[in-house]
Amino acid sequence: MNVEPSEADRAVRRMLTELGDTWAVVGLSRNTGRAAYGVAGVLQRYGKRIVPVHPKAETVHGERGYASLADVPFPVDVVDVFVNSALAGAVADEAVAIGARGVWFQLGVLDPAAYARTRAAGVEMVMDRCPAIEIPRL
């Protein structure tokens, strides 16, 4: 049986294979117990350059951190969002403002209005998925 991939599945594939390899991970700190830490490590193992974005601006996985997306002094391809849903929409708006090509809301991060705004701006978006789960499937 041949099942046509959903739009969300196609967006996942595009973000992981076509949009670029510089991924800002918003909410990433040196806290090894947080999901962001492990996911960023998986992204690195698959050849992505991770950019930690956290108010503490910590160096994580050998990459210099920045306090905000606006502070990153080079282009970011995808913004991976590890903040709660109430804060995620503002991060998506910042991602659009800095010219990111994709926004990825992690598992449990949902904001349909932010999804609609981001897509209306012509930016790819995935919501409630995890790239560490998806990338090995490609």
Side-chain angles (χ1 to χ4, degrees):
M1 181 164 106
N2 187 2
V3 177
E4 183 68 26
S6 70
E7 178 55 32
D9 291 336
R10 289 190 294 273
V12 163
R13 178 171 289 282
R14 283 191 297 271
M15 270 203 256
L16 290 170
T17 64
E18 299 173 21
L19 295 190
D21 290 332
T22 301
W23 283 54
V25 183
V26 177
L28 176 57
S29 71
R30 288 192 297 239
N31 183 342
T32 60
R34 301 293 302 226
Y37 188 89
V39 170
V42 170
L43 289 169
Q44 276 189 320
R45 285 193 295 282
Y46 279 88
K48 305 298 183 191
R49 176 187 184 188
I50 58 113
V51 181
V53 177
H54 189 281
K56 293 181 182 177
E58 298 173 322
T59 296
V60 184
H61 292 301
E63 294 286 348
R64 177 183 171 196
Y66 298 89
S68 72
L69 287 172
D71 292 338
V72 179
F74 48 82
V76 169
D77 300 311
V78 177
V79 175
D80 190 5
V81 181
F82 278 93
V83 300
N84 70 49
S85 297
L87 303 173
V91 176
D93 295 340
E94 291 174 42
V96 170
I98 67 160
R101 299 174 70 200
V103 175
W104 191 302
F105 280 10
Q106 281 296 141
L107 291 171
V109 180
L110 301 166
D111 185 334
Y115 181 91
R117 286 193 311 274
T118 302
R119 294 298 297 129
V123 176
E124 193 75 71
M125 186 158 180
V126 170
M127 198 165 48
D128 195 29
R129 305 275 286 260
C130 179
I133 294 169
E134 303 295 341
I135 202 166
R137 296 176 178 171
L138 297 179

